[in-house]
């Protein structure tokens, strides 16, 4: 059956079916219908033929008129610039339709997208409290990070990359391309592309309301939306408004997260942070012998002014560490209000004006444990002559005498985030005929704007807490120099829970608002159409050009502005830098589609696609990305496909969700497993080891305290522009080879297999402290001047200072590979209903990070099948800000859909494969999850079951859905607080809410 014959016959076929007529269809004809047709502009995926009522549905129950029942359309499938009839091409596109979105019960699209098997590694979502809490979700294909995944709306960039900013009611379908596409879309499309396709040609109005609650009676959510549209011969318009609210859930409400449970050896204990309310005080040598240790904490009810075993005891993590967990949140509260409008107006038969606009306002918050106070954490100092200092020495980073405490009287650290996002894509498009070939063109402007105001509370102005010279009075109060507040003067740093200390802390509390503005402007023009005909079909060409400008301006509160020389700020935490900047990108691109052969023995069709994009970046030179794709159908039922594409990514300007790779600066707390200067006995002046160990004693006695205690260091992360570190775009290659098999002898069955690989060089990352030390000592001396060690004689000489800089630059390579597999089967119609079953899965063969290829000191981390603990060396280049990374070998989704008359039901299975934490002693995978080298913790697979039941109340044009997510209340794997950042587990991967009920009612007018 030829395409022309199919086009001529489809209207009559639809008309007869609409009137209930029986019509025999040849198997070959039906097979072509199944694979190639578009009904009403919607992709009919292989093995998923729409029902007749779906074909006829157009926003109302009215049958389509002759024009609406148009025949075959050409479309641009995500990953290509060419308009084609074929929906199964060289691009392995995964489609999520409206029915799947509705059945999920999700009010925001981020949760839905993150469940795809191709998503792995760390993700930010509303369950991520520390490192998240902005109401945003990230999209992380292949574990390469949101920076390397491009998010589109109708084929155009969404600046924020936040799927939660897109109203779910505006979406017709979501197309996910899990392979590189820089030749088509430019920078960022390394892991792949997620394209949100908006609804169009909608007629009518619709109101929807949703509610949800966990079976523990918390985590309430509710949402409402109203959508309306009008379609005429002159054009169409569709608009909607939406509102949703998600209540927060405290970590204290779940047994797995109520306590910060750490593990040491075989002993698990409720521990947490070494910044503790009873203090962790480093004793001077003259007092260490008295206690038999060099760090002490205040006894309950002890007199901080008398240093004795009656008042102080040796610090022990198992009993003194601060249990911060219950203060945190397992679900951050968020509120979304927004709207959208999409429309097209036909100026004449050949030219139309169009507009796609999205606006979203998000209010969210997060909560952390009370602020810390200390010499090696916030840069605090305590004068030797302070009235409340009984130790006879000064405490500060310079003298080497260290002190840590936690200011409970300040209450939790909190931040409320107000974020507004707007995206507008507008322009003109049209069509014309040239030399009997059809052509389409598009000229437009895409504008994205984001404004984020973060108001931090519960923070203490640590410069206001007076710890300078003062005199102790007989009544236990202090007399301070003139000009010092009498309230702030009474602050006792060694007993922060005394009445006077609490009053001083309350007086020093500050609310600090910070603003970040991001803008992206893109001018685009494109044209595509047929060049000439070959025996196998028409050669088609697409050409285009873009000019894009990215800009960010960060304005922190003065109290949060980081001092890059010390790594601290006035409020002691959440320190960031004030910076602004951007760059522009000019691109020209093209793609040609060549049908080489068709209708020959063993070659039903053979097509080749060649694409190229040349980009000139104002600050980073030029880039040229090529793509070569081949499609071969040896028979009707089988499509073999392969794509090789060059990919690249320019440094990131915007700072959400992670720090700007160019202009950002902020505090960091990395872990290190080794220090090349341990046992240092000297090296020739000017040698790399001497530079790495500058200020370290040469008598062999030095031991890095952060390595010994496995506690976090304190450093500064700086963007490349601030650190003065040279930077350039990442570059690499992406490969995908696969097949699509839809056997004509099993109608409704479709299978796909795709082998994929990504090789990426010059990866842009903050050079982690561990890499900084290793590379400098091994001979890469350009890193050495970023390492700052304590120069002062004493017990802390040579220790790493907080002013040490982790610069952002090109370091290392990343290689990953795996297999995608799917089966979808629409069963024959039974008297008890219509069933559709399927499974989509991803196997991760390897995910290797090489810190510095070809350089001494380079390390290769093999992460597939591993959990990468918080702040471990291998987790230093984890994407985004989720805190931890998990790379299970297998991820999968299974489903069963059922329909009978007005009833529908869906079952969804989410599978996360087994993994391990740790590796053999002496290997780079040895993360020592319990502090003992060579320990390996193995975890089994996790399976979640979600069910939905729906019913159409036809007399009232109403549809009702009820459902349960995580039906069997599966709890997340317990990973221990000393390996995680949030909830003793990985909130970016696992479900923290437990069993969750939801309901939705939709009324059409």
């Amino acid at each position: 059956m030829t395409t022309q014959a199919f086009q001529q016959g489809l209207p009559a076929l639809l008309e007869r079916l609409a009137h209930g007529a029986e019509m025999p269809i040849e198997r070959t004809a039906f097979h072509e219908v199944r694979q190639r047709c578009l009904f009403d502009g919607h992709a009919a995926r292989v093995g998923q033929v729409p029902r007749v009522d779906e074909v006829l549905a157009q926003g109302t129950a009215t049958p389509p008129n002759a024009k609406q029942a148009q025949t075959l359309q050409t479309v641009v499938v995500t990953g290509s610039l060419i308009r084609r009839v074929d929906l199964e091409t060289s691009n392995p596109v995964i489609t999520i339709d409206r029915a799947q979105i509705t059945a999920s019960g999700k009010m925001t699209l981020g949760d839905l997208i993150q469940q795809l098997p191709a998503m792995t590694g760390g993700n930010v979502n509303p369950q991520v409290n520390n490192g998240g809490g902005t109401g945003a979700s990230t999209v992380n294909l292949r574990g390469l990070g949101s920076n390397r995944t491009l998010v589109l709306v109708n084929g155009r960039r969404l600046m924020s990359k936040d799927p939660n900013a897109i109203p779910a009611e505006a979406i017709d379908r979501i197309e996910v391309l899990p392979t590189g596409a820089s030749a088509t879309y430019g920078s960022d499309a390394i892991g792949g592309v997620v394209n949100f396709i908006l609804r169009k040609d909608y007629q009518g109005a619709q109101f929807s309301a949703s509610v949800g609650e966990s079976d523990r009676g918390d985590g309430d959510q509710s949402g409402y939306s109203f959508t309306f549209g009008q379609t005429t011969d002159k054009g169409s318009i569709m608009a909607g408004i939406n509102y949703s609210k998600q209540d927060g859930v405290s970590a204290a409400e779940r047994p797995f997260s109520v306590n910060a449970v750490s593990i040491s050896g075989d002993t698990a204990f409720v521990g947490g942070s070494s910044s503790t309310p009873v203090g962790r005080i480093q004793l001077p040598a003259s007092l260490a012998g008295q206690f038999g240790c060099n760090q002490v904490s205040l006894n309950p009810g002890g007199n901080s002014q008398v240093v004795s075993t009656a008042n102080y005891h040796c610090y022990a993590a198992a009993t003194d560490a601060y249990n911060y967990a219950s203060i945190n949140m397992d679900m951050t509260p968020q509120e979304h209000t927004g709207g959208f409008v999409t429309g097209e107006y036909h100026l004449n038969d050949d030219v139309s004006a169009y507009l796609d606009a999205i606006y979203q306002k998000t209010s969210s918050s997060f909560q952390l444990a009370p602020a810390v106070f200390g010499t090696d954490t916030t840069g605090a100092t305590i004068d030797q002559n302070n009235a409340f200092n009984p130790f006879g020495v000064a405490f500060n980073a310079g003298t080497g005498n260290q002190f840590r405490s936690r200011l409970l009287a300040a209450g939790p650290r909190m931040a409320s985030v107000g974020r507004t996002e707007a995206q507008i894509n507008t322009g003109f498009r049209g069509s014309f005929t040239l030399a009997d070939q059809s052509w389409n063109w598009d000229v437009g402007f895409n504008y994205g704007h984001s404004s984020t105001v973060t108001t931090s509370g519960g923070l203490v102005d640590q410069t206001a807490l007076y710890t300078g010279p003062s005199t102790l009075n007989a009544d236990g109060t202090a007399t301070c120099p003139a000009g010092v507040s009498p309230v702030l003067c009474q602050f006792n740093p060694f007993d922060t829970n005394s009445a006077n200390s609490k009053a001083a802390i309350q007086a020093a509390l500050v609310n600090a608002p910070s603003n970040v503005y991001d803008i992206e402007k893109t001018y685009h023009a494109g044209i595509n159409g047929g060049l000439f005909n070959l025996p196998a079909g028409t050669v088609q060409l697409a050409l285009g050009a873009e000019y894009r400008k990215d800009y960010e301006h960060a304005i922190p509160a003065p109290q949060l502005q980081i001092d890059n020389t010390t790594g601290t700020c006035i409020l002691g935490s959440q320190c960031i830098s004030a910076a602004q900047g951007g760059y522009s990108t000019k691109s020209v691109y093209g793609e040609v589609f060549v049908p080489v052969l068709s209708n020959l023995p063993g070659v039903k069709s053979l097509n080749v696609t060649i694409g190229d994009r040349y980009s000139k970046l104002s600050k980073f030179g030029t880039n040229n990305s090529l793509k070569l794709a081949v499609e071969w159908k040896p028979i009707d039922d089988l499509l073999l496909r392969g794509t090789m594409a060059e990919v690249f990514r320019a440094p990131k300007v915007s700072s959400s969700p992670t720090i700007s790779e160019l202009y950002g600066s902020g505090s960091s707390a990395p872990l290190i497993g080794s220090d090349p200067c341990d046992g240092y006995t000297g090296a020739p002046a000017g040698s790399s080891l001497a530079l790495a160990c500058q200020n370290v004693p040469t008598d062999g006695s030095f031991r890095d305290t952060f390595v010994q205690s496995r506690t976090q260091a304190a450093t500064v992360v700086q963007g490349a522009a601030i650190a003065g570190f040279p930077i350039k775009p990442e570059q690499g290659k992406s490969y995908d080879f696969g097949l699509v098999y839809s056997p004509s002898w099993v109608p409704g069955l479709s299978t796909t297999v795709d082998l994929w690989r990504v090789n990426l060089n010059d990866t842009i990352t903050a050079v982690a402290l561990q890499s900084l030390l290793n590379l400098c000592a091994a001979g890469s001396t350009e890193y050495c001047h970023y390492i700052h060690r304590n120069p002062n004689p004493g017990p802390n000489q040579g220790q790493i200072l907080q002013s040490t800089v982790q610069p952002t630059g090109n370091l290392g390579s990343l290689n990953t590979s795996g297999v995608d597999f799917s089966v979808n089967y629409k069963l024959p119609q039974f008297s008890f209903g219509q069933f559709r079953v399927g499974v989509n899965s991803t196997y991760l063969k390897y995910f290797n990070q090489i810190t510095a290829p070809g350089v001494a000191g380079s390390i290769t981390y093999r992460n597939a099948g591993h959990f990468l603990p918080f702040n471990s060396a291998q987790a230093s280049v984890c994407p985004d800000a989720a805190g931890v990374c998990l790379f299970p070998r297998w991820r999968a989704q299974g489903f069963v859909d059922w329909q009978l008359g007005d009833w529908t039901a869906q079952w969804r299975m989410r599978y996360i494969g087994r993994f391990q934490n740790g590796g053999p002693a002496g290997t780079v995978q040895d993360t020592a999850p319990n502090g003992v080298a060579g320990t390996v913790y193995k975890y089994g697979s996790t399976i979640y079951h979600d069910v939905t039941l729906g019913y159409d109340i036809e007399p009232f044009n109403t549809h009702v859905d009820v459902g349960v997510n995580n039906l069997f209340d599966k709890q997340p794997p317990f990973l221990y607080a000393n390996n995680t950042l949030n909830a003793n587990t990985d909130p970016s991967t696992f479900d923290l809410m437990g069993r969750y009920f939801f309901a939705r009612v939709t009324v059409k007018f």
Side-chain angles (χ1 to χ4, degrees), residues 772-784:
L772 201 69
L773 297 172
N774 294 344
L775 292 170
C776 171
S780 298
T781 56
E782 65 270 25
Y783 298 102
C784 295

Side-chain angles (χ1 to χ4, degrees), residues 14-141:
L14 289 176
E15 184 175 357
R16 291 192 63 182
L17 288 174
H19 289 84
E22 295 184 4
M23 177 169 287
I25 306 176
E26 286 185 36
R27 180 171 295 278
T28 55
F30 180 80
H31 184 67
E32 182 167 352
V33 170
R34 181 181 61 189
Q35 295 202 53
R36 303 190 64 191
C37 72
L38 265 176
F39 291 98
D40 200 28
H42 296 266
R45 290 172 290 165
V46 176
Q48 298 178 35
V49 182
R51 304 187 310 271
V52 173
D53 57 338
E54 292 175 331
V55 175
L56 300 179
Q58 186 83 20
T60 68
T62 305
N65 58 30
K67 185 172 183 178
Q68 289 172 324
Q70 281 289 331
T71 60
L72 205 63
Q73 300 179 32
T74 57
V75 294
V76 176
V77 178
T78 300
S80 176
L81 304 170
I82 302 294
R83 299 186 67 87
R84 297 179 58 187
V85 170
D86 304 271
L87 301 176
E88 292 290 356
T89 67
S90 59
N91 300 312
V93 175
I94 303 164
T95 302
I96 304 172
D97 58 26
R98 280 199 57 76
Q100 291 171 278
I101 296 172
T102 302
S104 71
K106 304 296 186 183
M107 292 191 184
T108 57
L109 296 174
D111 292 343
L112 179 66
I113 291 295
Q114 288 186 359
Q115 291 176 2
L116 289 173
M119 303 286 175
T120 192
N123 267 311
V124 171
N125 60 46
Q127 291 187 148
V128 178
N129 178 65
N130 193 349
T134 65
S137 294
T138 56
V139 181
N140 179 7
L141 283 167

Side-chain angles (χ1 to χ4, degrees), residues 789-838:
R789 294 182 182 270
N790 192 328
N792 299 296
N796 291 313
Q797 183 178 357
Q799 298 296 336
I800 297 167
L801 294 177
Q802 190 168 356
S803 56
T804 294
V805 172
Q806 296 182 135
T808 302
N810 302 99
L811 179 66
S813 64
L814 197 160
N815 303 315
T816 183
S817 177
V819 181
D820 292 338
F821 173 76
S822 73
V823 177
N824 293 274
Y825 183 37
K826 184 176 182 180
L827 279 69
Q829 180 75 42
F830 298 105
S831 60
F832 47 86
Q834 175 73 64
F835 288 88
R836 188 168 66 91
V837 300

Side-chain angles (χ1 to χ4, degrees), residues 322-338:
Y322 172 63
N323 179 23
Y324 55 81
S326 60
I327 305 297
N328 292 344
M329 308 194 77
D330 284 351
M331 174 63 73
T332 58
Q334 54 186 300
E335 199 169 1
H336 299 270
T337 305

